[in-house]
Amino acid sequence: FRTVTTENATKYWGAVEATLDGVLGGYAVVSSPDAESSLQFVGQLFGGIKVGRSLDCGAGIGRVTRDVLMKFSEKVDLVELVPKYVQQARADLASDPRMGEFFTTSLQSFVPEPEHYDVVWIQWVIGHLTDVEFVAFLQRCMAGLRPGGWLIVKDNNASPTEPGIVDGRYLLDEEDHSVMRTNKLIKELFARAGLELVKEVRQTR
């Protein structure tokens, strides 16, 4: 994973416009079905009950904060590496009473406040962390959960038979310098972090 670095992520995403189409790689059309699927998953977990405080990790311009987390959280904080994305999120969301803190930093450096969150949501960003960084981040997030809190990871999975797969475990993206892991590898890293997998759902739309 030599190219999976904060510097490369900053360089790539810093050149991408702070719009829905930009942060979704030209696929803004996936935003609504993605949010709907996430809310269905949350509904299965919480049964319509609201939680106190959530954290959106690798939040971009705040799409998941607005379209998912604010729907079931009293307060939402977000953490994002790219300053212009945080500026856009702040412009769009700061006036909403459900919006909490805006953190501009890398996930490699971010340390959640201990026992502060009911939900930590990590979506479409773990590819910019090495295995060691991912495990360490998961452990810091777990320390940031209140008793009974949930850590939710949503990401694309590579097929172990996909062309270009390395050791049957991951794909490297030469353009944005990210890595896509197989489901098996992700679960291995969960176990290495000391996590227990409680629920798994495959998004079909």
Side-chain angles (χ1 to χ4, degrees):
F1 296 1
R2 289 192 303 272
T3 62
V4 180
T5 65
T6 301
E7 293 75 18
N8 280 338
T10 302
K11 182 178 180 181
Y12 176 81
W13 290 107
V16 175
E17 61 184 9
T19 63
L20 189 60
D21 207 45
V23 297
L24 290 178
Y27 293 95
V29 67
V30 308
S31 184
S32 291
D34 170 69
E36 290 169 7
S37 295
S38 293
L39 289 171
Q40 288 174 5
F41 178 80
V42 168
Q44 294 168 11
L45 284 183
F46 304 137
I49 298 174
K50 285 204 169 188
V51 303
R53 197 174 199 103
S54 295
L55 174 67
D56 184 2
C57 299
I61 60 174
R63 179 187 72 89
V64 171
T65 291
R66 180 192 63 239
D67 296 341
V68 180
L69 302 185
M70 280 185 170
K71 305 294 187 185
F72 66 90
S73 308
E74 294 176 3
K75 280 287 184 187
V76 183
D77 297 344
L78 66 76
V79 54
E80 166 57 42
L81 171 67
V82 182
K84 68 179 180 181
Y85 292 172
V86 179
Q87 291 170 6
Q88 186 62 54
R90 191 185 298 275
D92 293 341
L93 300 172
S95 63
D96 193 305
R98 296 167 295 182
M99 193 65 225
E101 301 290 330
F102 296 85
F103 300 104
T104 308
T105 188
S106 68
L107 299 188
Q108 289 89 337
S109 301
F110 183 70
V111 181
E113 184 177 336
E115 296 190 6
H116 193 56
Y117 295 104
D118 297 291
V119 171
V120 173
W121 190 283
I122 308 169
Q123 179 169 346
W124 294 344
V125 70
I126 65 172
H128 289 288
L129 301 174
T130 66
D131 288 353
V132 171
E133 291 168 344
F134 182 38
V135 169
F137 181 62
L138 289 173
Q139 292 172 332
R140 293 197 302 275
C141 287
M142 288 299 294
L145 288 176
R146 294 169 178 163
W150 290 85
L151 177 60
I152 299 173
V153 178
K154 182 173 184 177
D155 218 291
N156 299 322
N157 288 193
S159 167
T161 58
E162 199 161 339
I165 196 84
V166 180
D167 298 329
R169 294 165 68 80
Y170 61 89
L171 286 170
L172 287 171
D173 189 315
E174 300 292 343
E175 183 179 4
D176 69 2
H177 306 288
S178 68
V179 60
M180 186 192 301
R181 299 173 174 89
T182 61
N183 186 269
K184 180 180 178 182
L185 177 54
I186 292 172
K187 289 177 180 175
E188 288 176 8
L189 298 178
F190 286 167
R192 195 182 304 175
L195 307 185
E196 176 188 357
L197 181 62
V198 176
K199 186 175 181 62
E200 180 181 13
V201 173
R202 179 177 180 177
Q203 182 171 311
T204 57
R205 22 183 326 227

